[in-house]
Amino acid sequence: MTNILLITFAISLIYLGLANRLGSYINALVFQGMILFGVAFIELIEINWINLVFVLLETIVFKAIVIPYFLNYIIHKNKITRDIEPYLPDFVSIVLITAIIIGSFLLSNSIQDSHVRKIFFVIAISALFTGLYIIVSRRKIITHVMGFLVIENGVFILSIALGNEMPMLVNIGILLDIFASVFLLGIFANKIGDVMKEQDVERLSNLKD
């Protein structure tokens, strides 16, 4: 079941290359949060129940509800247009993200370590590089924030793979995840949005101290 959920997560990464609207990106993040909830529940069922509840609440409440709500708030507050405005065509994005997933799979096959769970490694690395690709290939700053959140999801998947052996590592990763997300989104909502009327990344060069 875990493998099916992780494969579905990989499909959601490909979908991000096809999506042209901010709403589609937010829906994809909600979907990924729900997938992470399912993976965490299956993989971490044997850890201390307090740690398990903490992980499950972080995935379903924070990733699937709070962050998407905050993103919608930022979009409406700053009157950001709904278009993603990519630098590259959708077809190229799909091909590149698919190549990232295939490359991650080939890389995992070169690792000869019994402690490394390859399916987790493949999906985590795919999410990391897909997030980076979203950041460099989209014009809007808010889309860069979403790319960062995809990267965080990849880090979270990697931490789940070690959750049964190192539950404290998962908790630390979650706290860092929450802090970084709230900090980044808070800056965007309260600072950049007040300075810049156009939410294009190229406008950042106009910001002064």
Side-chain angles (χ1 to χ4, degrees), residues 167-200:
M168 186 56 65
L169 177 64
V170 179
N171 291 338
I172 292 174
I174 288 173
L175 292 175
L176 180 62
D177 186 11
I178 293 174
F179 172 77
S181 299
V182 172
F183 183 73
L184 185 62
L185 291 172
I187 289 178
F188 186 89
N190 297 317
K191 298 299 181 183
I192 296 179
D194 293 336
V195 175
M196 299 169 58
K197 299 303 181 183
E198 298 181 29
Q199 304 300 326
D200 193 311

Side-chain angles (χ1 to χ4, degrees), residues 22 34 49-50 52 70 72 106 109 128 136 156 167 186 195:
L22 292 176
M34 295 173 65
W49 70 270
I50 296 178
L52 178 60
F70 200 6
N72 269 314
L106 296 176
N109 285 333
L128 292 174
V136 302
F156 186 82
V195 175

Side-chain angles (χ1 to χ4, degrees), residues 76-93:
H76 287 96
K77 178 184 176 181
N78 295 292
K79 299 179 181 179
I80 303 174
T81 59
R82 297 283 179 168
D83 295 325
I84 293 296
E85 298 180 10
Y87 289 111
L88 299 174
D90 295 342
F91 176 76
V92 175
S93 295

Side-chain angles (χ1 to χ4, degrees), residues 1-14 31 35 39 101 119-120 122-123 157:
M1 185 62 183
T2 299
N3 291 349
I4 295 175
L5 290 174
L6 291 176
I7 292 172
T8 305
F9 187 95
I11 294 174
S12 73
L13 296 178
I14 298 175
F31 185 63
I35 292 175
V39 173
I101 297 174
I119 183 66
F120 282 86
V122 170
I123 303 304
I157 290 174

Side-chain angles (χ1 to χ4, degrees), residues 116-182:
V116 176
R117 303 178 65 179
K118 290 187 177 181
I119 183 66
F120 282 86
F121 180 82
V122 170
I123 303 304
I125 297 301
S126 298
L128 292 174
F129 282 100
T130 299
L132 288 173
Y133 172 73
I134 290 172
I135 291 174
V136 302
S137 65
R138 282 6 183 205
R139 297 177 187 273
K140 291 186 179 299
I141 304 170
I142 186 85
T143 318
H144 290 202
V145 174
M146 295 180 185
F148 174 77
L149 295 174
V150 173
I151 292 175
E152 285 188 330
N153 287 342
V155 175
F156 186 82
I157 290 174
L158 208 54
S159 69
I160 291 178
L162 302 173
N164 286 321
E165 292 78 17
M166 303 178 65
M168 186 56 65
L169 177 64
V170 179
N171 291 338
I172 292 174
I174 288 173
L175 292 175
L176 180 62
D177 186 11
I178 293 174
F179 172 77
S181 299
V182 172

